[in-house]
Amino acid sequence: MEEPRVWDVVIIGGGPAGLAAALYAARALRSTVVLESNFPGGQIYTTGDVEDYPGIIHTTGPELSMMLKDHAEHFGARIEIGEEVVDVDFQPPIKRVRVASGKEYQGRTVIVATGAAPRTLGVPGEDELRGKGVSYCAVCDGPFFRERHVVVAGGGDAAFDEGLYLTKYASRVTIIHRRDAFRAQKVLVDRAMKNPKIDFILDTVIDRVNGNGAIESIDIRNVKSGATERLEIGGLFVYIGSDPNTSLFNSCVTIDRGGFINTDENMATDCDGVFVAGDVRRNPLKQVVTAGADGSIAALTADKYLDLLDAGDTPDEAEAIATSKLSWKNEY
Ligand code: NAP
């Protein structure tokens, strides 16, 4: 396809949310480009086994990433790999997205699908053993840790939620937290304390992850006494927060205290013609399937917005109608 001067839909981020949005937008016959700085698939590209995507009993992260990319391209989306977005201007009617090479992409709509990165401990061995016993996703990887002693690092809601989830599989779950008070909700802390499979090591940090090709142990240190210990474990789940990739978008979209972008149920933001999908959005679950669902909604809301612009509505009228639940019910 010849490159249009102005695309109907410019998608920033080529993870599952961005690629699903591309598939839906292109299939709706909208000229669509995806700008991805690294690999297609985003976080899922670096995941080993995937067995929780509906309809696919087992695949790998790289395979699923390529399937998502191929699917979007099949319907005519252009996927530009290695295009790092460095600046955006979301003023209507034409949005401008500039990439590191200096090229500018113009779009009648933009879908932000830049994802979030789980925070890492930043200790020796963590990177090397990622996917080999070190995980940042209990829902994705928990079933691979049956009857093993696993450690969860963190003291927030996610550490407790995921620690409780892991008791379905692991023989023992030890929550290691750097303080003696938890940030997590009391209800989760109480539930974990009552669970016979869960124990706690407090005021303690992890200094090193050890293993030769697979995790074997961690070195821990009590921050009050200074005492150190080597703990033999079968897995380490790191839940110390995540950092959504929102640094480019501090104008126009609303970012909450946790750094996530707020949207309505149609993935719309306060900026006319700018929609958001996937892990960068405040949402209750961060999975490939939910990112894909977000992407599909964002693309169809964008499609509807474009229909309304073409019918003569102004950008704010189009935005208001495209994101009204009633009009969705009437039209679809
Ligand atoms: P969070 O609430 O920011 O908690 C992060 C935890 O990691 C804190 O206990 C923090 O310790 C610890 N931590 C941070 N950096 C660390 C480091 N370098 N080394 C060791 N520990 C470190 O993050 P989250 O648990 O991922 O939750 C994120 C958001 O999602 C929150 O708003 C949460 O409420 C929400 N969420 C809700 C649910 C639910 O409602 N069921 C489930 C999951 C997530 P300190 O306390 O000492 O700072």
Side-chain angles (χ1 to χ4, degrees):
M1 179 183 58
E2 197 183 318
E3 184 165 331
R5 192 179 64 78
V6 179
W7 297 84
D8 289 327
V9 185
V10 174
I11 298 171
I12 307 176
L19 293 174
L23 146 66
Y24 273 78
R27 194 162 175 269
L29 304 180
R30 297 296 180 184
S31 61
T32 302
V33 63
V34 178
L35 307 175
E36 165 58 47
S37 56
N38 287 311
F39 312 107
Q43 286 183 68
I44 195 71
Y45 189 86
T46 58
T47 302
D49 295 293
V50 177
E51 55 180 35
D52 55 6
Y53 191 82
I56 302 175
I57 293 171
H58 177 267
T59 184
T60 65
E63 271 171 8
L64 183 56
S65 300
M66 293 321 289
M67 285 192 275
L68 291 167
K69 174 177 176 285
D70 290 348
H71 202 166
E73 285 179 331
H74 173 78
F75 285 109
R78 169 91 60 96
I79 317 288
E80 296 286 0
I81 302 299
E83 288 286 44
E84 187 193 356
V85 174
V86 293
D87 196 18
V88 296
D89 176 356
F90 285 162
Q91 292 311 306
I94 302 301
K95 288 117 187 43
R96 296 164 194 280
V97 177
R98 196 161 55 79
V99 295
S101 65
K103 182 171 177 179
E104 183 178 88
Y105 290 83
Q106 298 188 4
R108 298 175 76 205
T109 65
V110 170
I111 296 177
V112 173
T114 44
R119 265 184 221 145
T120 61
L121 293 165
V123 298
E126 182 185 13
D127 242 14
E128 294 83 337
L129 294 166
R130 188 181 186 133
K132 296 168 184 154
V134 177
S135 170
Y136 303 84
C137 180
V139 174
C140 320
D141 297 334
F144 304 118
F145 290 80
R146 278 174 211 275
E147 297 308 317
R148 295 211 213 153
H149 173 203
V150 301
V151 160
V152 174
D157 284 342
F160 277 80
D161 247 2
E162 307 305 329
L164 284 158
Y165 177 80
L166 285 166
T167 60
K168 281 164 59 126
Y169 305 104
S171 53
R172 180 179 160 203
V173 176
T174 301
I175 294 179
I176 295 185
H177 180 38
R178 65 182 177 183
R179 295 191 290 140
D180 64 356
F182 299 115
R183 195 180 287 267
Q185 304 164 55
K186 188 172 177 305
V187 59
L188 291 174
V189 176
D190 287 350
R191 204 174 294 156
M193 287 195 165
K194 282 189 197 134
N195 191 308
K197 280 190 170 181
I198 297 183
D199 57 82
F200 299 87
I201 300 178
L202 303 181
D203 293 320
T204 295
V205 292
I206 297 169
D207 282 335
R208 171 183 285 276
V209 185
N210 308 301
N212 189 6
I215 196 168
E216 289 163 14
S217 64
I218 51 175
D219 293 344
I220 58 175
R221 175 171 44 89
N222 185 296
V223 292
K224 287 189 173 155
S225 68
T228 58
E229 188 186 337
R230 179 158 289 189
L231 198 63
E232 288 187 9
I233 58 169
L236 171 63
F237 287 82
V238 180
Y239 274 105
I240 59 171
S242 66
D243 294 316
N245 300 316
T246 55
S247 54
L248 286 172
F249 313 116
N250 47 15
S251 70
C252 201
V253 298
T254 307
I255 294 175
D256 70 14
R257 275 200 313 151
F260 294 92
I261 299 177
N262 284 325
T263 69
D264 70 6
E265 63 190 343
N266 296 312
M267 310 299 142
T269 66
D270 293 339
C271 301
D272 295 342
V274 176
F275 308 94
V276 177
D279 285 9
V280 71
R281 188 176 83 84
R282 168 64 66 192
N283 61 12
L285 183 64
K286 302 204 178 299
Q287 293 286 291
V288 181
V289 69
T290 49
D294 276 9
S296 65
I297 296 169
L300 292 183
T301 310
D303 179 45
K304 184 163 188 60
Y305 171 86
L306 290 168
D307 276 348
L308 292 158
L309 282 188
D310 291 341
D313 286 305
T314 62
D316 60 328
E317 285 167 348
E319 179 83 7
I321 299 169
T323 57
S324 119
K325 219 176 156 195
L326 189 61
S327 92
W328 276 86
K329 275 188 183 158
N330 286 342
E331 293 248 343
Y332 291 91

